[in-house]
Amino acid sequence: MKLITVIIPVYNVKSYLSKCIESVKKQSYKNLEIILVDDGSDDGSFSICKEFSKKDSRIKLYRTENLGLSHARNVGLDHASGEYIVFVDSDDYIYEDMVKTMISKSENADLVICNYEKISDSNEKVPQDAKLLKDDIWNFKQFWERYYLDGLGIFCCVAWNKLYKRKLFEGLRYPVGKIHEDEYIINDIIRRCDQIKVINDSLYYYVQRKGSIMHRSYKGYFEGAEVFLNRCELFEKFGLTKVLKENLNCIPSELIMGLDETKCQKNAKLRYSFLRKKYVFFLKKYLKKEFSIKLYLKKYGLMMPTFYSLYVKYKLRKLG
């Protein structure tokens, strides 16, 4: 049996942690290396980790100062020995056959991605994002088409519903201090994949808790804009015209919301101006080849951020 490393970053999740670790311990696939990385918890989470590590020789425990989720994942990667890597967030849990199912269906793919279920704090199902409907094999182009054109962005970009060959992370680590760390790194991961296996089994339980990163008031919209901007040249290079168009459509709202979110910060307008110029550079190149009135209007909307902000907020309210 191939050794699989499961990395669990831990930070102040005392109420959820035992259920998470138990779900990994009880996997029907037994040849696991379980790495717990406590990111400076001060709520008793580290004590729970210590108790579990004493009872299961497969568990390795590391503790760091509080440097964030990316750093904790990187510590796990630095100590991983498995041929494959799985990430599990410490407030979530996984189906007992998750690892077994993903390995058995992998067909030696570099990356395997499964569906997931959203679960509330009270253990009830939450309305789901778009789900993959059938098992399939994707290449680089198909991955990004599904991401942008089929509404599978969360499915595609998050770290935790995936089985990775460890070699994908050679010389590659999560950016420390970024909120959208999954989005930043997925570009490089997908470029390294010869084959991506996707399966429609829902094997991961994504818990919606109020204190999680996804529910913080600061959303990091400027960082989201940076992520999308970083992809423009990549999509140009590979001739993904439809994908590039959707990517360009995503950026203006991120820029406007980013300016609004950081308006009290000293360099907010400068950062907005820099990112807007970078966006216009890629937009002009696209518009020379493909006409889009929608993109033309967004380009000029960004020159009037106060008014465009009102429009973006109105659209977001309509979407709920």
Side-chain angles (χ1 to χ4, degrees):
M1 294 175 74
K2 297 173 181 177
L3 179 64
I4 312 298
T5 297
V6 181
I7 298 172
I8 308 175
V10 177
Y11 180 69
N12 286 356
V13 284
K14 182 178 179 180
S15 300
Y16 303 85
L17 185 54
S18 293
K19 185 171 185 177
C20 172
I21 299 174
E22 284 288 356
S23 74
V24 177
K25 279 187 60 180
K26 292 179 178 178
Q27 286 294 293
S28 55
Y29 191 97
K30 299 301 182 184
N31 194 25
L32 301 178
E33 172 187 57
I34 304 168
I35 297 180
L36 306 179
V37 183
D38 184 273
D39 186 39
S41 296
D42 56 13
D43 71 337
S45 292
F46 183 62
S47 295
I48 294 172
C49 290
K50 284 198 293 186
E51 288 304 309
F52 273 101
S53 66
K54 290 176 184 177
K55 296 174 183 178
D56 192 324
S57 61
R58 299 176 300 172
I59 295 177
K60 298 178 180 178
L61 174 59
Y62 301 92
R63 193 176 200 193
T64 73
E65 59 180 306
N66 181 219
L67 294 173
L69 177 59
S70 288
H71 180 259
R73 284 182 179 156
N74 291 341
V75 170
L77 287 169
D78 290 343
H79 292 91
S81 304
E83 185 176 340
Y84 288 86
I85 303 288
V86 173
F87 293 105
V88 180
D89 284 358
S90 52
D91 47 358
D92 300 333
Y93 57 100
I94 60 178
Y95 179 59
E96 63 184 0
D97 289 330
M98 177 179 173
V99 176
K100 179 181 178 181
T101 302
M102 295 183 86
I103 281 290
S104 65
K105 289 191 172 187
S106 68
E107 299 181 31
N108 201 38
D110 299 295
L111 179 66
V112 185
I113 314 176
C114 70
N115 273 326
Y116 59 93
E117 298 287 348
K118 281 187 173 180
I119 305 292
S120 71
D121 269 340
S122 56
N123 207 35
E124 297 177 352
K125 285 190 176 183
V126 175
Q128 183 61 288
D129 307 304
K131 297 184 74 171
L132 183 78
L133 300 178
K134 65 177 183 177
D135 289 9
D136 204 353
I137 294 176
W138 294 348
N139 56 26
F140 175 88
K141 178 183 177 183
Q142 290 167 319
F143 176 91
W144 291 114
E145 286 176 343
R146 302 291 82 78
Y147 180 109
Y148 283 98
L149 307 181
D150 292 346
L152 289 173
I154 295 177
F155 172 90
C156 290
C157 79
V158 293
W160 38 252
N161 64 335
K162 297 174 175 64
L163 176 80
Y164 310 79
K165 280 190 176 178
R166 183 159 59 96
K167 68 179 185 179
L168 294 176
F169 290 99
E170 290 178 3
L172 183 64
R173 291 294 184 265
Y174 286 91
V176 175
K178 301 289 187 182
I179 286 190
H180 298 279
E181 77 289 337
D182 298 349
E183 291 272 18
Y184 273 97
I185 200 173
I186 197 66
N187 301 358
D188 292 319
I189 288 174
I190 298 306
R191 289 188 71 175
R192 296 179 175 195
C193 292
D194 292 323
Q195 192 175 87
I196 302 162
K197 181 65 186 288
V198 291
I199 59 177
N200 71 350
D201 305 75
S202 293
L203 305 174
Y204 190 97
Y205 298 99
Y206 175 31
V207 178
Q208 307 293 282
R209 66 179 182 95
K210 292 181 180 179
S212 69
I213 290 174
M214 294 301 293
H215 290 87
R216 289 179 184 172
S217 57
Y218 179 70
K219 303 295 186 183
Y221 288 109
F222 274 156
E223 292 179 9
E226 287 176 344
V227 166
F228 292 129
L229 284 166
N230 290 342
R231 293 175 184 165
C232 289
E233 191 172 354
L234 182 69
F235 296 155
E236 281 182 353
K237 179 180 178 180
F238 286 92
L240 303 182
T241 304
K242 291 182 180 179
V243 171
L244 176 59
K245 180 181 180 180
E246 288 307 309
N247 188 51
L248 290 168
N249 267 317
C250 291
I251 296 170
S253 60
E254 296 286 314
L255 290 174
I256 288 295
M257 296 302 289
L259 182 61
D260 186 66
E261 183 177 52
T262 61
K263 58 189 174 186
C264 296
Q265 296 179 12
K266 186 177 180 180
N267 66 341
K269 289 184 178 179
L270 284 175
R271 192 175 183 190
Y272 174 78
S273 178
F274 171 77
L275 293 172
R276 186 188 68 190
K277 287 178 181 177
K278 191 172 181 181
Y279 172 70
V280 171
F281 170 77
F282 287 113
L283 181 61
K284 284 182 176 178
K285 288 204 292 182
Y286 175 84
L287 291 174
K288 283 182 179 179
K289 299 177 182 178
E290 301 285 338
F291 176 79
S292 170
I293 187 64
K294 186 177 181 180
L295 286 175
Y296 269 112
L297 291 173
K298 287 188 175 186
K299 173 188 172 184
Y300 290 107
L302 289 174
M303 297 170 68
M304 301 177 287
T306 301
F307 296 104
Y308 193 32
S309 175
L310 294 173
Y311 170 75
V312 171
K313 288 176 181 177
Y314 169 74
K315 293 290 286 184
L316 289 174
R317 280 197 298 270
K318 282 192 70 176
L319 291 172

